[in-house]
Amino acid sequence: MSTVAEFDLAKLMKDVSKVDTGKQQIRYIPLDLIDPDPNNFYSLDGLEELAGSIEMLGLQQPILVRPVQGGRYMVISGHRRREALQLIAEGGSKQFADGVPCVVDAGEASEALQELKLIMANADTRKMSSADQNKQAERIEDLLRQLVDEGYVFPGRLRDWVSKLSGMSRTKLARLKVIREKLAPELLKKYSKGAMNETVAYELAQRPVEMQRRICDAFQASRKNGDIGYMMSNYVKECADLAKSLDARKCPMEPGARCHHQDGILEKAFDGSYSYKPCRNGHCCADCSDYLRCRNRCPLLDEKAKKERARQREASKDQRAAEKAKNDAAVYAIEHVWARFGQALQRAGITDGQLRKELKPKGSYYNEYEIYVEKKKVERLLDFTCTEIKPNDPMPFHYGFKAGDYRCLCNIADALHVSLDYLFLRDDVPDRREQAVSESDTTPGWRTGEPPEDGRYLCRIRFTSEQARASEARCEWKEGKWHNSFGEKIDGLFEVLSWWPIPPEVWIMDEDRTRSK
């Protein structure tokens, strides 16, 4: 094969640049005589917008064509314009009935050179996607090899000429080549349609085809909208690294077996949420504290999860029972302290308002509880007729004094074996209750063992659940057994640590309230 000539890029560029000089004569050619070039690989998007612009402003740039056999013409540059004009004509417009303004390239050259001129003419007239650039680089390389076969000489390396003609760096060309040669066929198809960006496509193409598919499947399964167009390159890297580590993992629940829950782990590890996930660091589902709620947990853990949920339900039941007992004790304390407070007011012969008025100059906070308790509710509390008591309602002494504070003070005094009067400088005798109990077994006081007779008692109780703490509740001793306030036996539910007889006047108030309900 003889050498025809050294390839002259400057001449080719000069020929292409003639399109924009306006010096060629414009010819009006019927649209039905203009054919698209079958080798055109550029996308033809946005045709409707372009057609609307042409209808309003006219064709601002003529179409570059070359004559072919049969008196027809083939587009060199202007494929989108031709398709837009076709839309206008199909819509019934007569705007280009006299023909389409064209510039005819009469240059005689080989088909390869003609196509190369087409590419050069289109390179500066459109904004190309990464997929278009990839097709362009591939086609330029093919055309240059064809021109070499025709006898043209290209000094230097061929890839440098591809870089010059495409306007892309050699690094970018290398990336694009990796994509078109190593990306999985179905993913390359999506990339060519613009459904995947170049960075993600390159990251995927650097990995085996099966790994590419595995990564994309995990992404699509982990999201409601699993469009891989939303995938990021860092996801590809992290998912590939985790998948590689999972390949070597052995199942701790089936000694010697390979982990068969890898896809579920990948799906969970990259499901789009940014909270910490042990599986993202390669941990097994068996080591994860969130395995009960995880929809991607290993199936081998289903039986364990079933048992753990049953255990938690029982624990929650005990916890709710303990919380109810605690709240009942708080309500009981609030209810009866207010009632006793009302009785004390009656014995003193003064009203609640008079007491607050009398204490105000002395710096008492007693007058401030009405901010948090309605006046009508205070009246019902004092009369022992209030039914809407909450565990966090205040005691009558101070708006911030709650049942928990009352219980805390009592617990401190009991732990020290002293009375509250002694603790707050009201008495010099540590605990007069001990003295009274030693004189008579019927005197009220905290006692242990079985009560001497049937009756109602304020009891310190502890639930059998290990999580439950000691609390207080009203109980009844009847027929040698403890019963709760509803008359139910409490055997096995909680144990009575100590008891204190409820004074008869409180019994009467309880019965009156029960009748009022």
Side-chain angles (χ1 to χ4, degrees):
M1 180 178 60
S2 59
T3 302
V4 175
E6 184 174 315
F7 184 76
D8 191 348
L9 177 61
K11 184 177 184 302
L12 179 65
M13 294 299 294
K14 182 179 180 182
D15 290 341
V16 171
S17 66
K18 289 178 181 178
V19 177
D20 299 323
T21 61
K23 295 180 181 180
Q24 286 94 343
Q25 184 178 357
I26 295 178
R27 294 176 56 185
Y28 287 84
I29 301 173
L31 182 60
D32 56 3
L33 293 179
I34 304 174
D35 299 322
D37 190 330
N39 294 318
N40 177 62
F41 51 80
Y42 295 106
S43 60
L44 301 176
D45 55 346
L47 294 179
E48 292 184 359
E49 292 82 355
L50 180 58
S53 175
I54 292 175
E55 279 192 292
M56 181 179 295
L57 305 174
L59 188 62
Q60 299 296 306
Q61 185 176 6
I63 298 176
L64 178 63
V65 297
R66 61 185 175 88
V68 293
Q69 294 179 352
R72 302 187 68 82
Y73 298 85
M74 184 175 291
V75 177
I76 296 177
S77 177
H79 287 82
R80 287 182 68 248
R81 281 167 278 165
R82 178 195 173 278
E83 294 299 323
L85 292 173
Q86 193 73 35
L87 286 179
I88 294 173
E90 291 173 358
S93 173
K94 303 297 183 180
Q95 185 175 1
F96 296 95
D98 296 333
V100 177
C102 298
V103 172
V104 180
D105 181 11
E108 296 182 0
S110 67
E111 291 185 2
L113 199 57
Q114 288 287 356
E115 188 176 344
L116 191 59
K117 291 175 68 175
L118 179 149
I119 293 174
M120 299 301 296
N122 282 277
D124 296 329
T125 60
R126 64 175 66 234
K127 182 179 180 180
M128 293 187 293
S129 65
S130 174
D132 285 341
Q133 289 177 324
N134 205 334
K135 293 175 184 176
Q136 183 191 70
E138 181 182 18
R139 190 58 186 156
I140 288 175
E141 185 174 346
D142 292 341
L143 290 172
L144 291 180
R145 294 186 187 280
Q146 188 175 337
L147 289 172
V148 169
D149 292 340
E150 292 178 5
Y152 283 90
V153 175
F154 294 89
R157 292 178 296 185
L158 198 63
R159 65 180 179 181
D160 292 334
W161 282 94
V162 176
S163 178
K164 288 179 183 178
L165 293 172
S166 65
M168 291 181 277
S169 68
R170 287 181 295 178
T171 302
K172 183 175 180 65
L173 289 173
R175 287 165 57 95
L176 296 178
K177 188 172 183 179
V178 170
I179 291 173
R180 65 175 177 265
E181 292 182 354
K182 296 186 177 181
L183 193 63
E186 66 276 14
L187 299 179
L188 182 60
K189 190 174 181 180
K190 289 180 177 293
Y191 164 74
S192 300
K193 292 181 178 180
M196 180 188 297
N197 69 53
E198 180 183 320
T199 307
V200 172
Y202 180 65
E203 285 293 339
L204 285 169
Q206 295 179 82
R207 290 161 176 83
V209 172
E210 287 305 315
M211 178 63 76
Q212 297 176 30
R213 292 170 177 153
R214 190 175 175 188
I215 292 171
C216 292
D217 289 344
F219 181 85
Q220 291 175 317
S222 66
R223 289 161 170 78
K224 293 181 179 179
N225 181 8
D227 187 351
I228 60 175
Y230 295 102
M231 191 158 52
M232 305 294 287
S233 59
N234 64 320
Y235 171 90
V236 177
K237 295 177 182 178
E238 294 177 12
C239 190
D241 291 342
L242 179 55
K244 187 176 180 180
S245 68
L246 290 174
D247 288 338
R249 174 181 292 180
K250 300 296 182 181
C251 179
M253 291 174 283
E254 292 184 350
R258 179 174 171 268
C259 176
H260 59 273
H261 191 56
Q262 298 182 23
D263 292 340
I265 293 176
L266 285 176
E267 181 180 339
K268 175 63 177 178
F270 301 99
D271 64 358
S273 60
Y274 293 95
S275 58
Y276 171 76
K277 299 185 184 70
C279 50
R280 181 169 284 190
N281 293 330
H283 289 261
C284 177
C285 294
D287 301 327
C288 181
S289 60
D290 195 41
Y291 80 96
L292 282 178
R293 295 173 293 180
C294 181
R295 64 184 178 88
N296 294 102
R297 70 166 175 262
C298 179
L300 296 179
L301 288 172
D302 288 346
E303 187 62 28
K304 179 182 177 182
K306 183 178 179 180
K307 293 179 180 179
E308 178 60 20
R309 279 196 295 266
R311 187 197 69 78
Q312 288 186 1
R313 282 195 296 269
E314 289 299 320
S316 178
K317 183 178 178 181
D318 291 344
Q319 186 176 2
R320 287 195 301 271
E323 188 67 23
K324 183 179 182 304
K326 179 181 177 181
N327 291 338
D328 288 346
V331 170
Y332 175 85
I334 294 169
E335 183 180 34
H336 286 77
V337 168
W338 274 99
R340 289 190 180 186
F341 194 78
Q343 287 183 329
L345 288 173
Q346 291 178 5
R347 287 195 296 268
I350 60 175
T351 65
D352 177 59
Q354 290 172 339
L355 178 62
R356 286 189 280 111
K357 186 175 180 181
E358 179 181 338
L359 293 177
K360 186 174 182 180
K362 300 179 181 179
S364 170
Y365 291 103
Y366 170 55
N367 63 308
E368 297 188 27
Y369 71 72
E370 66 177 352
I371 299 174
Y372 290 84
V373 183
E374 297 178 1
K375 186 174 182 181
K376 291 184 178 179
K377 185 173 181 178
V378 169
E379 294 174 355
R380 293 194 298 271
L381 286 167
L382 292 171
D383 293 339
F384 204 62
T385 58
C386 185
T387 58
E388 63 275 12
I389 300 174
K390 299 178 181 178
N392 207 36
D393 282 346
M395 294 286 197
F397 318 117
H398 176 232
Y399 70 92
F401 193 86
K402 306 295 175 64
D405 303 312
Y406 149 83
R407 190 180 301 110
C408 178
L409 291 175
C410 292
N411 290 342
I412 292 173
D414 291 339
L416 298 174
H417 302 290
V418 298
S419 67
L420 288 175
D421 281 343
Y422 177 81
L423 200 60
F424 294 110
L425 309 180
R426 301 283 296 180
D427 197 340
D428 292 332
V429 178
D431 193 350
R432 294 188 181 277
R433 290 181 301 171
E434 294 181 359
Q435 184 180 15
V437 169
S438 64
E439 295 173 356
S440 173
D441 289 342
T442 61
T443 304
W446 288 111
R447 304 284 301 279
T448 57
E450 295 183 356
E453 57 184 359
D454 292 351
R456 300 175 186 174
Y457 298 85
L458 178 62
C459 299
R460 287 179 175 165
I461 63 173
R462 181 172 59 207
F463 283 83
T464 54
S465 171
E466 294 181 359
Q467 289 99 346
R469 294 185 296 178
S471 183
E472 294 178 2
R474 284 182 292 174
C475 298
E476 184 176 0
W477 177 260
K478 183 173 61 176
E479 299 175 354
K481 296 288 184 180
W482 284 109
H483 298 70
N484 62 19
S485 58
F486 300 103
E488 301 168 341
K489 292 183 180 180
I490 64 173
D491 292 343
L493 180 60
F494 55 80
E495 60 176 325
V496 175
L497 303 176
S498 59
W499 46 268
W500 191 351
I502 297 178
E505 62 269 19
V506 178
W507 288 19
I508 297 172
M509 287 191 294
D510 279 338
E511 291 171 353
D512 291 343
R513 184 180 180 193
T514 302
R515 284 195 293 270
S516 68
K517 291 181 179 179

